[in-house]
Every structure is written in C-alpha cells, then in structure tokens.
Amino acid sequence: QGGYAVGGKSFTAVAINCAAKAGEWIRTKLGKHSSLDIKQSPHDLVTEVDKGSESLIRKLIATHFPQHSFLGEEGVEPGPEASAQALADASSAEYLWIVDPIDGTTNFVHGFPFFCVSIALAYRGEVIVGVVYDPIKDELFVAEKGKGAYVHGKRMEVSREESLRESLIATGLPADHLYALPVNLKGIAAVAPQTRNLRIAGSAALHMAYVAAGRLSGFWEIGLNSWDLAAGALLIQESGGRVTDTKGEPYHLGVRNVAASNGIIHDGLVRALAEADAAG
Ligand code: 2AM
Ligand code: CA
Ligand code: CA
Ligand code: CA
C-alpha cells in the first residue's frame, strides 16, 4: 500500500484536476478540431486535441510528481505490440500514471457526445486511483482503492439485475477489422438476444464508468489497452462489481479483452462469450 499522497499533495486531487482541466479544454474544441490524422486505418483516428489533452495532463502531473512515470496513448506507437511493450517497459515504475487523453475519439470527431478523459495511477502495478471525466455531461467519476467510488461526490453502486435477460449490456466494435471485429460480432450475435438490450456507444472507459454507476449491468470488449481500462476497472471494483478478462480470469493492467459487470450476471456473460467462441 503506497498511500495516496506524498509531500502533502493528494494523488486523487491531482488526477481530478488534470481530468477537469483537460476536459474543459476538450469541450471548447468540440466541432472545432483542425487536424485529423489516420493512425493505422480509417477506423483509428487522432486529432490535435488528443495530443494537446495528453500533453496538458502529462505536464501537470510532472509539476506535482516529477519522479512518477507516465504512460499515455498518444506517446505510444499504434498497434497491440507497441502498446504491450510500452506497458512492459513502464511496469517497473513505482508510481505509474496511465492516461487516455480522449477515450472515444471517433465520437469526438463526429460530435457524438459520448467521450471522456481517463486517468489512473498505479502503485507497483496495482491501480490505486481512477478518474473518468465526461466533459459533455460534466460528470466526474472517482475511485480510490479500498475507499469506494463516487460520481460527483455521491457513492456509486453497481446495478442489481440478476440475469442477462433483465440487463442492459454494452460492448464495442473493435477498430481491428481483421481479427477482433469478427470475434466480437460473434459475441454480439450470442449475447444480444439473451439481454434486455445492447448498447455500443464508442467509449470503453465511459461504458466502464456506467457499469460502476449502475446504468449498465455489464460491458465487454475485445482488443483494448491499459489506458482504456485502468481507471474504469477500479471504479467498478470499488462500486461492488467485478472485472475480469473475457475468459473470467482476474483483471490486471495487461488485459486486452475485458468483461465487467455488477458481479451477479458475470458468469452468465463470460459463459455466453465462451459458448460463442467470442472471448478472443
Ligand atoms: P480511443 O477513442 O481512445 O481510441 C471503442 O470501441 C473503444 O475502442 C474506445 O475506447 C477506443 O478508444 C478504442 N479504440 C479505438 N481505436 C482503437 C484501436 N485501433 N485499437 C484499440 N482500441 C481502439
Ligand atoms: Ca485512439
Ligand atoms: Ca481509448
Ligand atoms: Ca484515446
């Protein structure tokens, strides 16, 4: 247990400040971004706002905690190999900030109002602070390890649905259309008919925050990265929910295929994915 502050500075306060500052700036740029670059495919976008948000967060963290390490999406070459390598390189750090400067860039680019800033702090590989901020709804989700999770100061609890049949579940459509998309389409075909309904809104981190807040009963997605999941996983765990990989193995920072839920429906969701050969 590393504690939540050094030298009187609260890790959580800095994380919140970073997410709020970046989110406010992103909000002013909605519909006004000037650059749009394609990373590896037309499904994989980045704007100057992604890069500006990451650099704002990185600088703010460095002024408070110059000795801490930093892993942000826009500092890593695209593709799963480079992401896994960057996480492995960073994992020896005592304190590691894991940042997605805009989760839901495609939505941001199109003006579809569902995206967020995701900031997590790991101490020796274990996430101890997670913050997700939705600048459109001005919703701030905050979790501290062992201390619960809150949305705008109100304690969060996962939902209580007891079966997939009563559950609203979310997933994602992976950008990797060669491998991950066909796998997940099998999962969707298997899971959707078993649920009340399915949502695919385009931000893994915000979907995870919604599971924590009890607005979704579960979420799964294939082919994600540490920065998509680190903050959201702690939000869910601290709200009484469960986070594993899509095969039901425990969540850790290297997990790419995630299953998250209120806990009660978890085994049913994982089983449905396994039966459809859709766990990735
Ligand atoms: P992003 O907006 O930060 O890129 C949507 O299904 C989810 O997938 C989002 O969380 C999105 O994060 C992520 N995503 C988008 N493109 C991706 C890619 N090429 N590889 C992995 N994840 C991606
Ligand atoms: Ca991206
Ligand atoms: Ca992301
Ligand atoms: Ca991103």
Side-chain angles (χ1 to χ4, degrees):
Q1 179 58 279
Y4 299 104
V6 283
K9 283 181 269 182
S10 154
F11 299 151
T12 307
V14 170
I16 290 171
N17 192 233
C18 286
K21 287 239 163 66
E24 279 159 27
W25 181 69
I26 292 165
R27 190 166 56 230
T28 69
K29 294 287 179 179
L30 186 60
K32 296 180 194 143
H33 64 273
S34 56
S35 77
L36 177 60
D37 292 328
I38 286 166
K39 283 174 150 183
Q40 287 192 309
S41 79
H43 316 288
D44 191 0
L45 307 175
V46 65
T47 71
E48 88 280 8
V49 187
D50 298 79
K51 293 171 190 164
S53 171
E54 180 159 317
S55 120
L56 183 160
I57 294 164
R58 185 177 197 138
K59 283 180 191 150
L60 203 51
I61 290 170
T63 62
H64 289 284
F65 306 114
Q67 70 284 22
H68 289 190
S69 296
F70 185 93
L71 175 65
E73 179 183 7
E74 306 311 339
V76 176
E77 291 297 311
E81 298 80 12
S83 310
Q85 190 57 51
L87 179 63
D89 292 346
S91 65
S92 62
E94 188 175 31
Y95 286 100
L96 175 65
W97 292 82
I98 303 169
V99 172
D100 193 335
I102 301 180
D103 187 57
T105 296
T106 305
N107 287 343
F108 172 74
V109 165
H110 288 263
F112 185 93
F114 195 85
F115 49 83
C116 65
V117 178
S118 175
I119 299 178
L121 174 63
Y123 174 74
R124 297 192 173 149
E126 186 187 21
V127 179
I128 58 169
V129 176
V131 172
V132 168
Y133 180 57
D134 169 354
I136 300 297
K137 289 175 73 73
D138 186 28
E139 284 194 310
L140 179 71
F141 303 87
V142 179
E144 289 181 326
K145 181 98 194 153
K147 297 184 183 172
Y150 296 81
V151 56
H152 266 302
K154 192 169 168 290
R155 184 88 188 232
M156 292 196 290
E157 274 179 38
V158 293
S159 71
R160 291 172 189 189
E161 286 80 32
E162 294 191 349
S163 65
L164 285 177
R165 197 160 30 87
E166 308 166 278
S167 291
L168 187 64
I169 304 277
T171 186
L173 292 176
D176 168 7
H177 287 199
L178 271 182
Y179 174 70
L181 182 64
V183 169
N184 214 37
L185 289 176
K186 283 193 291 185
I188 290 168
V191 173
Q194 298 189 42
T195 65
R196 179 161 285 159
N197 215 322
L198 197 69
R199 295 290 179 266
I200 307 178
S203 166
L206 205 44
H207 278 139
M208 296 276 282
Y210 276 29
V211 173
R215 299 170 188 176
L216 292 166
S217 322
F219 167 72
W220 90 94
E221 190 164 346
I222 303 289
L224 294 171
N225 289 301
S226 56
W227 45 77
D228 301 308
L229 298 172
L234 187 64
L235 288 171
I236 293 173
Q237 289 161 346
E238 290 295 328
S239 301
R242 188 165 164 210
V243 186
T244 67
D245 70 11
T246 44
K247 293 179 172 153
E249 298 299 323
Y251 170 78
H252 56 84
L253 286 173
V255 165
R256 310 186 60 85
N257 306 332
V258 75
S261 77
N262 67 3
I264 311 168
I265 62 154
H266 205 89
D267 292 340
L269 177 60
V270 167
R271 195 179 320 119
L273 294 173
E275 283 167 6
D277 193 23

